[in-house]
Amino acid sequence: MRSLLTFLFVFAVALFLGALLAYPLYLGLSLFTNSDYPDVIVKATQICGLVFSLFYLKYCDKLSLENIGLKIRPDRYLPEFSYGLLSGLIMLAVLASGLISLGIYDLHDGREINATVITRLLLGALLTGVAVALFEETLFRGALLQGLRKQTNTNTALITISLVYAAVHFIHYPQPAAGETIGWLTAPQSFLPAYSSVISTETLDAFLSLFVLGLLFGLIRIRTSNIIQCIGLHAGLVAGIKLFRFFTEYKPDNAHAYLVSSYDYRLGYLALIWLIIVTAGYFVYLHHRPKVIPGTNPF
């Protein structure tokens, strides 16, 4: 229990340091581009979160590619990533089919579709998916999950990191008021309010969806002893969402709006049910397969 509380306290400190880092990062980025200050705070928080996770792993065990989960046999990288990517696209396609069939979404009529548009869309979706997945999986399922397992146990680490993973998606820093001078204390002063809406009745369905998704990622990480499939699965889901957003549009007057969250109108109770089915199925699967030798393909 002490190790868990220490982890949560130090992680909170890392998030606060992200708020402090936001101002100098904002000054640096303003030399090249105009960025919304809340977006800069998120970037600064992500940087501090990644640095903290790597130092935490070094403290708990050993900082290495193997412990992070990025080192496997070279000939297994592409197959395991591809398997995860395909699984993510299929999972998203099933959810998208449900959203469309229930009338929550409809196919977009005004999209220009040609070879150039589709090529750019696919490449952009894949690159975005890989970038997001590599960062988040390295942080959460790579360093933090491995480190916390060493300090507590697998079940505690799995549940804790899944909760943290879900929670950070709901951090919301307000846009500074017009004419307000941005300084060192702008973000820190909004630190507590930014985290006060992490769990609310309005976004509880989306929070639970991300929590179960975090459990699925964690089970895969524990099962395979690496995060390559996690990266592939995560990338497939992110890429699938980008494709879904391009080809469909939300119908706000639909009769099944209660099945999607106001957070993004994609996550929600329908997604939660689907993720529970997938995660429970994977959990059952784990108990009918022999333990994986690190660096080999469990499938």
Side-chain angles (χ1 to χ4, degrees):
M1 178 60 71
R2 180 179 297 179
S3 297
L4 177 58
L5 293 176
T6 300
F7 164 80
L8 293 175
F9 173 76
V10 177
F11 188 72
V13 171
L15 296 179
F16 184 76
L17 291 177
L20 286 175
L21 178 64
Y23 178 59
L25 182 61
Y26 176 75
L27 293 179
L29 291 176
S30 64
L31 299 176
F32 306 98
T33 182
N34 292 324
S35 300
D36 288 336
Y37 194 57
D39 292 337
V40 176
I41 303 175
V42 171
K43 290 183 176 64
T45 302
Q46 290 173 336
I47 293 171
C48 287
L50 181 59
V51 172
F52 160 76
S53 69
L54 297 177
F55 274 102
Y56 182 71
L57 178 58
K58 183 176 181 180
Y59 166 77
C60 296
D61 190 5
K62 179 183 178 182
L63 183 59
S64 65
L65 290 178
E66 183 176 2
N67 279 339
I68 293 174
L70 289 170
K71 185 178 181 180
I72 60 175
R73 277 173 31 198
D75 62 320
R76 295 310 315 163
Y77 276 103
L78 183 58
E80 295 204 16
F81 173 81
S82 300
Y83 182 90
L85 180 69
L86 180 61
S87 299
L89 290 172
I90 292 174
M91 284 177 58
L92 200 285
V94 172
L95 177 60
S97 298
L99 293 172
I100 293 173
S101 63
L102 290 172
I104 300 173
Y105 277 82
D106 201 357
L107 294 178
H108 204 297
D109 294 328
R111 296 296 191 190
E112 179 185 358
I113 299 177
N114 54 54
T116 301
V117 170
I118 295 300
T119 300
R120 289 179 178 176
L121 176 63
L122 292 175
L123 287 176
L126 181 59
L127 291 175
T128 300
V130 171
V132 171
L134 180 60
F135 172 81
E136 294 192 359
E137 294 310 310
T138 298
L139 195 162
F140 293 105
R141 261 66 59 176
L144 293 184
L145 182 59
Q146 178 68 11
L148 194 56
R149 286 176 72 189
K150 293 292 183 179
Q151 292 294 303
T152 56
N153 57 69
T154 296
N155 291 336
T156 298
L158 178 62
I159 293 172
T160 301
I161 299 305
S162 298
L163 286 171
V164 171
Y165 169 72
V168 297
H169 284 80
F170 300 93
I171 301 170
H172 177 69
Y173 279 92
Q175 180 72 36
E180 179 182 350
T181 301
I182 296 176
W184 282 98
L185 297 180
T186 303
Q189 287 173 345
S190 302
F191 180 77
L192 291 180
Y195 288 83
S196 64
S197 60
V198 164
I199 300 179
S200 70
T201 55
E202 294 182 355
T203 59
L204 180 61
D205 49 358
F207 180 92
L208 292 175
S209 299
L210 289 169
F211 169 68
V212 175
L213 180 59
L215 290 178
L216 177 59
F217 286 138
L219 288 172
I220 295 172
R221 159 53 154 142
I222 293 167
R223 167 65 187 176
T224 61
S225 298
N226 65 73
I227 61 171
I228 305 305
Q229 283 186 29
C230 294
I231 292 173
L233 177 62
H234 202 147
L237 291 171
V238 173
I241 288 174
K242 289 185 70 69
L243 296 175
F244 180 69
R245 290 173 60 185
F246 180 84
F247 288 109
T248 65
E249 56 184 343
Y250 176 68
K251 297 174 64 177
D253 57 345
N254 72 85
H256 301 285
Y258 61 90
L259 291 175
V260 292
S261 174
S262 58
Y263 169 68
D264 66 352
Y265 299 104
R266 288 181 298 272
L267 293 172
Y269 291 116
L270 184 63
L272 176 60
I273 293 171
W274 174 226
L275 287 168
I276 289 176
I277 292 172
V278 173
T279 304
Y282 188 76
F283 182 79
V284 172
Y285 164 83
L286 295 183
H287 286 74
H288 291 82
R289 298 284 292 183
K291 182 173 176 58
V292 173
I293 299 173
T296 64
N297 183 11
F299 302 97

